[in-house]
């Protein structure tokens, strides 16, 4: 007997537990802070500790991705199996999209428009005012065949293809910065994701079974083919036979079309049970190196923040005698 796990429910329950624990901790520490002189700086300690915890979690996620890249073998498209797979290939020559900023033909784009603004305390900063991503499936090929890549939900890591900075118009005009990342025709790609089979093409194709049956009803010759009792109309049993035969014919046609391409009907994308899905125009060594640095930074820095804020909270409430507390008053006092 298989066991199904609803990870979404666990995540939701986890958030509820975390929220309940935070509220309970807030009430408890607020009660004790009035008696220990801890004030309210512990709230910033707690917020920083939570942030450090998320950094540690993110670091371990990067480490898991790195290990998966190193352990999952590369598959040729023609022989790729269902499930988690790693593919090296090239985006096909014909592209269906036009990038919004550069106008270049591409298979995928991500863009960002930023505006330079003045901070309230002085200085300049770039603020995102517009952004977007395409999620149209595109074909990837190697020397053995082609497969569809569905970028929806992917962790896409691309080198920037386009950058432009426009000066502001007039005395008070603000500068704008335009950035664009693309997958262009013939770009070499690394893809790690879940290979799945598309839905039954007979049922979902626009000119599929339902359209064929509608045409059958309007064609006297086709009706006569299934009219066993020559009544001029199809009864329930005859109609069931017509549906079965028509569906079988469409299946045979689809099989003949796919004979030249064993991977027709397959795509690589985000999995139902495996969330790891990466697309990159970098080589595998560069990807693993970047992930390693992200993992070190997340676990190391996040762990230090989490430990430091835990010590600070214990010191504020006198649990750790003579303990150290983070000097938030220097920044906000």
């Amino acid at each position: 007997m298989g066991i199904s796990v609803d990870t979404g429910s666990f995540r939701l329950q986890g958030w509820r537990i975390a929220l309940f624990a935070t509220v309970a901790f807030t009430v408890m520490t607020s009660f004790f802070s009035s008696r220990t002189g801890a004030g309210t700086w512990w709230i910033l300690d707690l917020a920083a500790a939570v942030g450090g915890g998320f950094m540690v979690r993110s670091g371990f996620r990067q480490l898991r991705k790195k290990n998966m890249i190193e352990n999952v073998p590369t598959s040729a498209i023609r022989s790729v199996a269902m499930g988690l797979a790693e593919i090296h290939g090239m985006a096909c020559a014909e592209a269906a999209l036009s990038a919004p900023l550069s106008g270049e033909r591409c298979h995928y784009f991500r863009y960002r428009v930023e505006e330079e603004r003045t901070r309230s305390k002085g200085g300049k900063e770039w603020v995102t005012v517009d952004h977007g991503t395409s999620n149209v499936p595109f074909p990837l090929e190697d020397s053995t065949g082609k497969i569809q890549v569905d970028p929806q939900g992917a962790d896409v890591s691309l080198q920037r293809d386009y950058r432009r900075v426009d000066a502001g118009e007039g005395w008070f005009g603000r500068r704008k910065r335009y950035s664009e990342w693309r997958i262009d025709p013939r770009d070499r790609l690394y893809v790690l994701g879940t290979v799945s089979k598309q839905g039954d093409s007979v049922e979902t194709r626009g000119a599929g079974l339902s359209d064929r049956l509608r045409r059958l009803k309007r064609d006297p010759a086709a009706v006569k083919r299934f009219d066993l009792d020559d009544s001029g109309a199809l009864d329930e049993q005859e109609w069931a036979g017509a549906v079965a035969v028509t569906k079988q014919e469409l299946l045979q046609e689809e099989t003949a079309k796919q004979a030249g391409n064993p991977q027709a009907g397959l795509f690589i994308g985000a999995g139902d049970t495996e969330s790891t899905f990466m697309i990159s125009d970098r080589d595998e060594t560069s990807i693993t190196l970047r992930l390693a640095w992200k993992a070190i930074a997340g676990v190391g820095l996040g762990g230090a923040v989490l430990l430091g804020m835990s010590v600070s909270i214990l010191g504020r409430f006198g649990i750790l005698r003579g303990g150290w507390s983070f000097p938030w008053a220097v920044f906000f006092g």
Side-chain angles (χ1 to χ4, degrees), residues 112-118 123-130 163-179:
R112 182 172 66 226
V113 180
E114 300 164 287
E115 187 174 76
E116 189 179 40
R117 296 181 182 176
T118 303
K124 301 285 187 179
E125 65 177 344
W126 289 101
V127 178
T128 299
V129 295
D130 189 20
R163 165 64 66 87
R164 186 180 88 241
V165 179
D166 289 350
E169 297 180 0
W171 288 98
F172 302 102
R174 295 170 173 172
R175 291 197 303 164
K176 286 190 175 181
R177 185 167 64 187
Y178 302 84
S179 303

Side-chain angles (χ1 to χ4, degrees), residues 68-116:
M68 292 183 70
I69 291 174
E70 293 175 336
N71 296 328
V72 175
T74 302
S75 300
I77 291 178
R78 179 176 291 272
S79 58
V80 69
M82 303 282 280
L84 189 65
E86 176 183 283
I87 296 175
H88 295 261
M90 179 184 294
C92 293
E94 296 297 326
L97 302 176
S98 179
L101 301 182
S102 65
E104 296 288 338
R105 301 296 294 177
C106 62
H107 294 285
Y108 170 92
F109 63 78
R110 183 175 77 247
Y111 73 92
R112 182 172 66 226
V113 180
E114 300 164 287
E115 187 174 76
E116 189 179 40

Side-chain angles (χ1 to χ4, degrees), residues 1 26 146 223 229 251 263 273 313 328:
M1 177 181 294
T26 301
K146 295 182 181 181
V223 171
D229 57 5
L251 284 171
Q263 300 312 99
T273 57
I313 291 175
W328 292 109

Side-chain angles (χ1 to χ4, degrees), residues 251-279:
L251 284 171
Q252 292 173 351
E253 293 175 8
E254 195 65 32
T255 301
K257 289 179 182 178
Q258 296 181 7
N261 180 12
Q263 300 312 99
L266 295 185
F267 72 95
I268 185 167
D272 294 331
T273 57
E274 174 53 63
S275 60
T276 301
F277 178 27
M278 299 178 59
I279 301 174

